[in-house]
Amino acid sequence: MTLTPDLSPTPERQLDADEVDLLDLDRWAADGPPHEWFARKRAEAPVWHHPGPDGTRGFWVVSDHEHVTALGRCPHVMSSDEDNGGIVGLGPGDELQAAFDASNAELAAIGLHDNDAKMLLSLDPPEHTQNRKVLNREFTPGAIGSLEPAVRELAGTLLDAVDRARGDGDDVVDFTTEVAMPLPMQVIGDLLGAPRHTHRDLLRWSNEAVTGTDPEYLSPGGSQLAAAAQLAQLFSTMQIERQAEPTDDLVSKLIAAEIDGEPLSQLRFIMYLLLLVTAGNETTRNAMSHGVWAFAEHPEQWDRLREDPSLLSGAVEEVLRWASPLLYFRRNALEDIEVAGQLIRAGDIVSLWYVSANRDESVFDDPFTFDIGRSPNHHVAFGGGGPHFCLGASLARLELRVLFESMLERYSRIELAGPPDRLRGNFLHGVKHLPVRLKS
């Protein structure tokens, strides 16, 4: 491969005054994604080197749709494998990276940090391909479609509770905690076969395991590893029960699953379930909250949807684009490669910013307008294709469609009742609290 001269900044370079520090979690909590800055990067430097603190190596920021999509589809060059750095964490100075590093060190100390301790997302093909097949059939559009009556019932029950509270005189609803948080967790909890009384614990442990950079989600003395251990204990108990009496839930299917004729190891079994609980909950709930937030700020779009419900599928896609519930995924360069005139060296951290690609002016007309009739809508909220395209995409779409459909039947208008409270983090585009008034 012919390479251009090294154009990457030296490790000693510091952020210029007009740059945004993507490691500043307090800035993310206060202001959300720096959309204007990303727009400038897309125009001037779609592959840009973000310096690390104190002269550390830093990481590459990929901001445009073309390169985010392309680099997400070449695992032979851009690795997701945990051995090469995994999919989360931006290196030194990143609080989420520090939390994961601490957890991995604890796992290694007790001999559990081996290949089976990797989640599906942190594997490269061909191993990733083999492991993904274990659950592919359970998440096809057809299989997910059969869940619609159950999802509709769950959504209706949550909205009934909200309406009863409104009837008692409390017209302000925290949509995130009352609807967006419990709905996806109840759906995935039922799919797993977890008892209903454990769903609140599943939600709490999931928050601690994934969003541990926000103090609100950490219990006293808690940690990501402690939360994961609580989840693992529950899954082990369920495993024993299903081995004695199998059912049709995902736990039973994972127990019966084989890879190359061998059953899943205990650790790999646990990692599958940890992924389902966290990924099946966090991103969908944030899309729900951002969608309701968007409809509150753009009431003409809610009116448009009420007048023409055939726009619902397109509205779901626009909510996903607008929300970008997953801000980025990390990849790790396996070899030197030139991208957009920049030399990325083997071992470099490369971050693919979906939140920026979903506002790319070269792909989306008027990208900063929330438009439920947008077509085409080639968003990358589910990763932009490739081997790591989101396994739960059909489930997320179903839950969003059913929720908004149920709300359309009940509410003529959605109004913000106070400022939304953003998650303190640079990985999930989280909304912790969303106070709204739902008008019948």
Side-chain angles (χ1 to χ4, degrees), residues 1-5 71 74 76-78 333-340 342-346:
M1 179 181 297
T2 301
L3 296 171
T4 60
L71 294 180
C74 53
H76 57 290
V77 177
M78 293 288 159
L334 296 179
E335 60 185 64
D336 291 0
I337 181 173
E338 182 188 348
V339 183
Q342 297 288 351
L343 177 59
I344 298 174
R345 294 198 176 277

